[in-house]
């Protein structure tokens, strides 16, 4: 395994460069495989921070199933207000860097999975449909063909900034001048990629109606989706195992099944590509 860290020219207000972290498989004479699928994870953190130790463990979990995995930080509320679309542009640049380095990093650009948890779920869902949003691409000088992905995984996602997160209306102006521009279901097109979503009824921080509303729209548009609503669990469970548990309630064997279910789902999309 090779761990890489790529610094961007974009910086936080404190001068720290945005950074992409990757865990790469490497070809060898004893390995028949020469390229690996990509999982690009977009963390949550309330647009105030990311938890790199948790993100490392999420990335490594999927690395162990046969992905080369990446995650990155992005601009936060402390960097500028209103914040959006800055973090979306940051993760778009991150995906561009990943695809641009496909040959060097031994990546299969045609098997790119975006994944996002909590507010990272909103960024991931918007990024998944960004290649078809010609107005946004034009406004920000992006090229859709270089930002394509083939699957999307969302964990306890925010999908609409007016559906319970942020928790107070006073926070909205810090995040978006016009929250209506960033409603994930409104970005959906017939080209939307197959999507796997999970959350819990008792999340407590991001109402499950965010995911339910998004899933309902996917179903109405006849777009491929698999959805798991677990009966119990707090917000921020991540892998729901000891590796990412911030408190005992974050460790729950039943919810932890989501990872295996997601791998099964990916193997249905790309048969026999990943270890179970």
């Amino acid at each position: 395994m090779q761990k890489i860290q790529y610094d961007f020219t974009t910086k936080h207000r404190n001068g720290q460069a945005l950074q992409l972290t990757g865990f790469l498989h490497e070809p060898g004479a004893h390995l028949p495989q020469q390229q690996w699928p990509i999982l690009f994870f977009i963390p949550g953190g309330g647009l105030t921070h990311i938890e790199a130790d948790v993100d490392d463990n999420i990335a490594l979990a999927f690395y162990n199933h046969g992905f080369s995995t990446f995650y990155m930080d992005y601009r936060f509320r402390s960097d500028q207000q209103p914040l959006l679309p800055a973090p979306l542009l940051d993760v778009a640049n991150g995906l561009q860097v990943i695809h641009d380095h496909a040959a060097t990093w031994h990546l299969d650009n045609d098997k790119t999975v975006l994944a996002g948890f909590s507010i990272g779920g909103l960024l991931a869902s918007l990024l998944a449909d960004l290649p078809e949003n010609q107005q946004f691409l034009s406004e920000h000088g992006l090229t859709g063909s270089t930002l394509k992905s083939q699957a999307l995984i969302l964990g306890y996602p925010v999908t609409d900034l007016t559906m319970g997160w942020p928790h107070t209306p006073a926070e909205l102006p810090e995040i978006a001048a016009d929250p209506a521009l960033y409603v994930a279901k409104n970005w959906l097109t017939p080209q939307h990629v197959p999507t796997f979503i999970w959350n819990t009824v008792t999340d407590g921080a991001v109402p499950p109606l965010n995911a339910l509303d998004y899933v309902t729209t996917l179903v109405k548009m006849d777009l491929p989706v698999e959805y798991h609503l677990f009966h119990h669990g707090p917000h921020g469970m991540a892998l729901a195992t000891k590796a990412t548990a911030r408190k005992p309630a974050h460790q729950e064997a039943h919810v932890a099944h989501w990872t295996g279910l997601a791998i099964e789902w990916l193997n249905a999309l790309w048969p026999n590509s990943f270890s179970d």
Side-chain angles (χ1 to χ4, degrees), residues 78-270:
S78 58
D79 294 318
Q80 64 181 67
Q81 295 180 8
L83 178 58
L84 286 167
L88 179 57
L89 297 174
D90 296 337
V91 296
N93 287 334
L95 183 59
Q96 175 86 66
V97 165
I98 292 167
H99 283 166
D100 285 350
H101 286 78
T104 305
W105 293 343
H106 312 291
L107 306 175
D108 184 350
N109 278 343
D110 293 328
K111 290 181 179 176
T112 299
V113 181
L114 303 179
F117 288 178
S118 194
I119 191 60
L122 178 63
L123 298 176
S125 60
L126 298 178
L127 182 57
D129 290 306
L130 187 53
E132 305 302 324
N133 191 323
Q134 296 304 318
Q135 180 177 344
F136 191 95
L137 293 170
S138 177
E139 287 177 358
H140 298 284
L142 299 171
T143 303
S145 60
T146 65
L147 299 173
K148 289 189 178 295
S149 56
Q150 288 74 42
L152 175 65
I153 296 174
L154 302 176
Y156 40 90
V158 176
T159 63
D160 183 332
L161 293 167
T162 66
M163 291 189 70
W165 192 94
H167 298 146
T168 63
E171 294 178 81
L172 270 177
E174 299 178 2
I175 297 170
D178 185 358
L181 295 176
Y182 305 103
V183 177
K185 69 179 181 181
N186 293 343
W187 286 49
L188 291 170
T189 73
Q191 289 73 43
H192 182 76
V193 299
T195 302
F196 179 99
I197 307 177
W198 72 274
N199 60 350
T200 63
V201 174
T202 58
D203 183 293
V206 175
L209 289 176
N210 277 263
L212 286 163
D213 184 57
Y214 189 66
V215 168
T216 298
T217 305
L218 289 170
V219 172
K220 286 180 177 179
M221 293 179 66
D222 198 27
L223 294 169
V225 60
E226 180 165 330
Y227 176 49
H228 297 272
L229 178 60
F230 294 97
H231 76 282
H232 179 76
H235 188 71
M237 297 186 80
L239 297 174
T241 65
K242 185 177 181 179
T244 58
R246 285 295 195 225
K247 53 187 178 182
H250 285 158
Q251 189 173 345
E252 172 55 63
H254 180 58
V255 178
H257 287 305
W258 80 262
T259 309
L261 292 168
I263 295 298
E264 289 176 3
W265 172 77
L266 287 165
N267 267 319
L269 294 179
W270 303 315

